Amino acid sequence: MLKVGDKAPDFRLIGTSGHAVTLKELRGRKVVLYFYPRDDTPGCTREACAFRDSMARLRRAGVDVLGVSKDSLASHERFRTKYELPFELLSDPDSSVATAYGAYGTKTMYGKKVQGTIRSTFLIDEKGRVAVIWS
């Protein structure tokens, strides 16, 4: 499990821009990396729209936002368009990046234990270290 101060695991994922995004390329910038279970579901939509509604403040603070789920790029693009999300959504189809961040595993859903994405948000500083974790 990642802790504040740990080096954030690098990744290479394809985003809605059609390009690969790596954490290494974002060094020198703050990054909010948030993992969510599924596009266009009530909780995930509220979360994405909250980031959307905070983008002016986040940009002033020099923060990039990246959303990650195992959904396809086509699903991400529909979700992004529908809610006018001004940030990149990344596809992690095998949940390998979510696993590296501790955002995939056993969770309780409707009283049952299931494997899936654990809603988690990480603030990564300019040096690539985990500054804050919200889970």
Side-chain angles (χ1 to χ4, degrees):
M1 192 57 110
L2 286 176
K3 298 181 298 302
V4 169
D6 286 350
K7 184 178 179 203
D10 199 11
F11 57 83
R12 182 181 190 281
L13 294 173
I14 304 298
T16 45
S17 67
H19 302 287
V21 175
T22 67
L23 187 58
K24 186 176 183 178
E25 292 170 347
L26 295 169
R27 287 278 151 63
R29 299 203 38 88
K30 296 175 197 156
V31 177
V32 165
L33 184 67
Y34 81 96
F35 295 88
Y36 64 99
R38 195 156 179 199
D39 290 338
D40 212 7
T41 56
C44 297
T45 298
R46 279 192 302 277
E47 181 177 33
C49 290
F51 281 117
R52 177 200 63 204
D53 296 346
S54 299
M55 282 307 294
R57 188 169 39 109
L58 290 165
R59 284 189 179 133
R60 281 193 304 273
V63 178
D64 292 323
V65 175
L66 298 170
V68 181
S69 82
K70 65 189 308 178
D71 291 310
S72 69
L73 288 174
S75 175
H76 280 342
E77 192 52 48
R78 285 189 302 272
F79 184 48
R80 191 169 180 240
T81 300
K82 182 176 181 180
Y83 294 100
E84 299 178 359
L85 304 177
F87 49 86
E88 190 94 38
L89 298 178
L90 308 176
S91 182
D92 183 19
D94 62 0
S95 299
S96 60
V97 176
T99 299
Y101 277 80
Y104 186 87
T106 304
K107 62 183 184 175
T108 303
M109 196 166 160
Y110 306 112
K112 289 185 175 185
K113 298 241 185 243
V114 297
Q115 288 290 111
T117 301
I118 300 163
R119 191 180 308 279
S120 307
T121 303
F122 299 84
L123 176 62
I124 301 165
D125 70 17
E126 298 90 338
K127 294 180 182 177
R129 299 245 172 232
V130 176
V132 183
I133 302 170
W134 296 274
S135 185

